[in-house]
Amino acid sequence: MLSSLSPCPSPNLLFSNSKPLSLNPNPIRLSFPLHCSNSTTASTSTPATAVPTPSTDEVSQKRWRQRKFYPGEDEGICEEMRFVAMRLRDESAESAESEATEKDDENTWQPSMEGFLKYLVDSKLVFETVERIIDESTNESYAYFRQSGLERTASLTKDIESFKEQGFAIPEPSPPGVSYSTYLKELAESSAPSFLCHRYNIYFAHATGGVGIGKQAFQKLLEERKLEFYYWEGRKLEFYNWDSDPQVLLKDLRDSLNKLSKHWTRNEKNTCLKEATKSFVYLGKIVRLIILL
């Protein structure tokens, strides 16, 4: 193609040694090649066509559409953990059905005074650990959850003191409570999101299912005269009483955690879901202390 291009004429050559231009009505028109090249400036390359590249936002949106979504993700991390709890409940129900015997449920539910006290002592250790970490830690994420109204350490202290006044020997914390307390301390240092998810599940489990289990065990101990009825007449365990509606307090806690979790990565949220399973396992071991096996 270059061979077909004629050299561009030099302006000096066009106008040197030429006669003055006349006012001829039909002058000679000078024409120049449409494609001209200079031997010294000719280029052997043609302009490359720019290929559009996707923007960062487009790539992010594509990855967002392709990644896996988790049940409850649109509503927040607390809803995601609720689905985990529901799955564990269903699995536990299936396991219980497969291992069911001919024994009546009333006969298998036999709380003991010793076991109930262990349950209270271990619960106090766990709540005390969580609440001390929240109050004393310098982690800014924990500051949002102080004085939530759900704290149970003071209430458990009163209840345990009441049993002590009746002459009951108060046991030392047992392995389930000690191991969970130790784990929470380690988790609070290594992963704030995971620790906060444990904290939420602890309060949630107690304010929902834990209240029913504890009251049932306490009432059964009263009926079997393992507790002085007249001492407890008109009284209630402080562990199961709040100054405000616990469901409203839980909602406030849930809203705060969901808001904070918006700043977490998907990997951090996935870790929280795994930790949710662990929290229910730890709490289940403490609740089972009530039953005399």
Side-chain angles (χ1 to χ4, degrees):
M1 179 176 180
L2 291 176
S3 61
S4 64
L5 299 178
S6 59
C8 294
S10 173
N12 296 330
L13 292 177
L14 289 174
F15 298 101
S16 62
N17 301 324
S18 61
K19 295 179 179 182
L21 293 176
S22 64
L23 299 177
N24 191 324
N26 296 310
I28 299 175
R29 295 183 179 180
L30 298 177
S31 62
F32 295 92
L34 295 177
H35 299 284
C36 59
S37 66
N38 193 297
S39 59
T40 59
T41 60
S43 174
T44 59
S45 62
T46 58
T49 303
V51 178
T53 57
S55 64
T56 304
D57 291 340
E58 290 175 343
V59 173
S60 299
Q61 291 177 2
K62 184 176 180 181
R63 291 177 179 175
W64 184 80
R65 289 193 298 268
Q66 292 178 345
R67 76 171 180 82
K68 175 184 176 182
F69 281 87
Y70 293 79
E73 182 175 356
D74 292 341
E75 297 187 33
I77 189 64
C78 293
E79 186 66 10
E80 291 188 52
M81 289 192 290
R82 189 178 74 85
F83 276 94
V84 172
M86 291 172 60
R87 187 182 71 246
L88 290 175
R89 183 192 63 186
D90 294 340
E91 292 175 356
S92 299
E94 293 177 1
S95 177
E97 289 177 2
S98 63
E99 297 176 1
T101 63
E102 296 180 355
K103 294 182 180 180
D104 184 70
D105 288 341
E106 290 295 327
N107 293 329
T108 58
W109 175 248
Q110 292 295 335
S112 68
M113 194 62 236
E114 180 184 358
F116 190 70
L117 289 174
K118 286 183 178 181
Y119 162 69
L120 294 179
V121 170
D122 279 30
S123 295
K124 177 178 178 291
L125 176 61
V126 171
F127 280 101
E128 193 174 34
T129 300
V130 169
E131 290 160 12
R132 181 182 293 115
I133 291 172
I134 291 293
D135 290 339
E136 298 179 0
S137 176
T138 57
N139 191 312
E140 294 182 357
S141 299
Y142 299 160
Y144 295 101
F145 301 95
R146 291 171 183 164
Q147 298 179 350
S148 66
L150 290 165
E151 290 79 9
R152 297 287 85 195
T153 301
S155 299
L156 280 164
T157 301
K158 292 179 181 179
D159 288 336
I160 293 173
E161 186 62 29
S162 295
F163 284 109
K164 187 176 181 180
E165 290 175 359
Q166 295 180 69
F168 289 102
I170 306 302
E172 293 295 324
S174 57
V178 173
S179 60
Y180 195 17
S181 174
T182 301
Y183 184 72
L184 288 170
K185 292 175 183 177
E186 296 172 353
L187 200 61
E189 294 294 331
S190 61
S191 174
S194 296
F195 171 77
L196 290 174
C197 287
H198 270 267
R199 178 182 180 272
Y200 172 79
N201 288 323
I202 290 170
Y203 287 116
F204 174 81
H206 174 62
T208 54
V211 171
I213 294 173
K215 286 185 175 180
Q216 182 182 353
F218 182 69
Q219 185 62 34
K220 201 168 186 66
L221 292 171
L222 282 174
E223 293 173 356
E224 296 178 359
R225 295 293 189 266
K226 294 181 180 178
L227 286 171
E228 290 293 337
F229 178 79
Y230 293 105
Y231 179 89
W232 288 100
E233 186 177 10
R235 299 190 185 189
K236 296 180 180 179
L237 287 176
E238 295 295 329
F239 190 28
Y240 305 110
N241 287 283
W242 289 264
D243 294 334
S244 303
D245 185 347
Q247 298 308 316
V248 174
L249 298 175
L250 274 177
K251 182 182 181 303
D252 293 340
L253 176 59
R254 184 162 51 247
D255 292 343
S256 298
L257 188 57
N258 283 335
K259 183 178 180 180
L260 181 63
S261 68
K262 291 180 180 179
H263 303 283
W264 299 347
T265 65
R266 187 62 250 181
N267 287 337
E268 288 176 322
K269 293 179 181 180
N270 291 344
T271 302
C272 284
L273 299 182
K274 295 178 182 178
E275 292 296 327
T277 302
K278 292 182 181 180
S279 68
F280 294 129
V281 172
Y282 275 114
L283 293 171
K285 292 179 180 179
I286 294 175
V287 170
R288 281 194 290 271
L289 291 172
I290 298 174
I291 306 173
L292 178 62
L293 300 177

